[in-house]
Amino acid sequence: MALTTNYSNKSLLILDDLPEARSSLRSQVGMLGFERVVVSGTARDALEQFRKHRFDVILADYYLGEGTDGQQFLEFLRTRRIIGRGVLFIMVTAEKRYESVVTAAECLPDDYLLKPFTAEVLKLRLERLLEKKQRLARIDKLQDRGDWAGVIAACDEIIEARDRYMVDAMRIKGNALLAAGRHDDAVVFYQLMLLERPLPWSKLGLARALHLRGDSQDSKDTLSGLIAESPQLMAAYDLLGKVHLAAGDPDAALAVLDSACAISPNSLARHRAVASVAEEKGDFKRVEQALDKVVKRTRNTPLRETHDIARLGNALTELGEPAKAVSIIGEALTNYKGDAQDPMLAAVEAVAQQKAGNPDKARAALDRALQADAATLPVATTMAVAKACLSTGRHEEAQGILRKLVQTHHEATDLHQRVSTVLRDHGAAAIAESLVADSVNEIIQLNNDAVRRARAGELGPAAQMLTEAAQRLPGNTQIVANAAAALYFDVLHNGLDAEKVRQAQVFQKAVQAVAPGHPKLAEIAALVAQIREKFAASGQ
Amino acid sequence: MTEFPALAALTIHDVKNRLNLLVQHAERKGDGETLRLAMEAAATLTRLLQAYKAGTGQLRAEVDSHAPADVVEELAAEFRVQTSLRVELELAAAPVLACYDEALVRMVLQDALYNAMRHARAAIRISVGTADGCVEFSVADDGPGYPPEILGTPAMAMPADGEGTGLGLYLARQVAELHANGARRGELVLGNHGGAVFCLRLPL
């Protein structure tokens, strides 16, 4: 066979639990000219290697032993962003396993290599895939940066060229349209694709676009059709579950996820999804069943998640078994030093300790939970911390946390209901409704006042008000977007002010990062253009 | 006790892993004959598993867009190390992209190639082209051609013979049927033109 040296500058990782297979594959890639090769027998060791090296190519066997598989390993790498989109991941397997098709397209391997294979075939496959990576390298970088407009433009170039990467580019473009918040354009794009040739992924894309623009019934119909045609496509079940949930039907969501679990019982992501839905329904028995599987399966593997323990602990406490919750949390804290810093786990521990009759330990745990910077915590964690405060009698702190949470998400009515419920459940029924209503009103009032003052020509004070509110509630996208617009508006009419422009840019970028499709962004961009034109023309 | 089908699937998986080691071992020693025996044994196992799936209604085509030149280039490379016959490739008329299940098409063409290898005198020709809105994958040999009983037998009634030819053709027809675009379905066309010609046609 022909020897090549093309690969001498490429680094490659081999992951296989069987020593013979590792050394055999190693010698095979050696024959192809790879010189920088690292072999690992376990996912844990492979993760160690990622700390020391960067790899261009990963050849991972599907079966890894130790309760993990190549798919779980890949999901872990991609969701934690341990590898970028430019890294080639090839799954080596004896049979193509369709059931391992997972939620997100980005968690799919670049390719499957079916055993047995000859060195020639491996060589051809690597050449082809590396060529594709090279052709898509610019798009991969734009995607990693979240520059969706750039991604769409780059994809259009390839689509127009109508070469072999055309369909790859279409696939990426559809995702980019959705990520950019262009839901209507995405619907039209996928519908055109389906007219040309119906493929499962474009149907799934259409269903996702319909769901995001709020056409819940059309999305459900598309997904039901897709599941009938491709019952192994797990992503369709996951999305259908989400659509049911968004439509306020957790029972239907749970039923869909259950049927997905029956087809693909090894997916951790799906058991976690079942737990989330069951949590929402308040069905803690189901939460316990689902997470117990996940926790057992990931124990002592790199795939374990601290939040699985926290949510399992919460379910056990809710089921009246706080001692059991204390015990599993204790085990986690003993074995994993980092877990002590997790505010969610600490909050759950506080409630469990309180219920188990250890108020001192409860207080210590809650103090740990309150050390975290509240502004950066996800909603679920914030709710857990508030609940812990309420359970241990620290009502004032709880109310402060909840008020801020409602104000950060002042239009999220489902969250408002959960806030009211948690207050009611902890003997604060009297203020359960008023806390939410007052918090929401305060935000509405603030927005109205700002608009009124702006109309009255008080642009500076209006911008000032919104800036203060945005700094207090950095998670409230509407307030932050309004603050950016108000600052630019002030600058446009009252003249350039470096500090105001800088602050406006910070707010604008923050909105772009979390909500690239936010409607206010177009207005902000127009203001920026007007400012440029005005001050460039006047020579300032 | 595990159910037989699950046990069989695990066993097939295990044996394929060992055959993979054997292939890599033979490759290092430049032993083409052992490599062929191991590759063909693995192909037999794949056929067994897919035949079980076909028989229990679990055989499905997971259709996606692929460059058809890729799979045949790989197969040509795979077979050239297994035989002293000439393996020719004709890709001039191949479409840039077509929609099909690559793993299933690979299995079907692999079987056709082993069959051609048994009957060819000097050469095997793999070609890809388009006709009537279909992509056509053809495997032709310069042997005596298909016997009349194979060309004349109704598609699904083909019995499996000792060489697995019957099972291979049964699966090839199943795979063709599984590929559809709207009302159009794939088909398997067998013929004799200076040797046997096996042609898998799938709607574009």
Side-chain angles (χ1 to χ4, degrees), chain A residues 110-168:
Chain A
D110 290 287
D111 209 355
Y112 291 90
L113 189 61
L114 298 183
K115 287 188 276 193
F117 52 88
T118 65
E120 271 305 315
V121 166
L122 176 59
K123 176 171 167 258
L124 280 172
R125 189 70 65 88
L126 282 169
E127 275 169 7
R128 203 161 276 144
L129 290 168
L130 287 169
E131 196 185 307
K132 175 168 156 184
K133 281 279 174 217
Q134 208 176 347
R135 179 75 199 271
L136 299 179
R138 193 162 66 89
I139 294 181
D140 283 340
K141 281 208 191 89
L142 289 165
Q143 275 184 284
D144 283 340
R145 264 204 312 234
D147 178 353
W148 303 115
V151 171
I152 292 164
C155 286
D156 281 336
E157 272 171 40
I158 295 183
I159 294 169
E160 268 161 41
R162 300 195 73 81
D163 64 14
R164 57 176 289 150
Y165 303 114
M166 178 178 76
V167 177
D168 299 298

Side-chain angles (χ1 to χ4, degrees), chain A residues 304-382:
Chain A
R304 82 181 279 283
E305 300 264 3
T306 305
H307 282 190
D308 294 335
I309 313 276
R311 292 161 71 197
L312 178 57
N314 177 55
L316 287 166
T317 309
E318 291 284 349
L319 290 168
E321 301 197 64
K324 230 171 163 180
V326 165
S327 140
I328 64 152
I329 295 169
E331 187 198 318
L333 291 172
T334 311
N335 294 334
Y336 292 89
K337 293 244 168 347
D339 279 8
Q341 267 83 54
D342 190 281
M344 166 93 107
L345 189 65
V348 170
E349 191 198 343
V351 180
Q353 294 285 17
Q354 185 76 17
K355 295 232 165 105
N358 311 314
D360 292 345
K361 287 180 177 165
R363 196 171 314 116
L366 182 53
D367 287 339
R368 276 201 339 265
L370 288 167
Q371 269 168 25
D373 176 9
T376 60
L377 294 182
V379 173
T381 307
T382 310

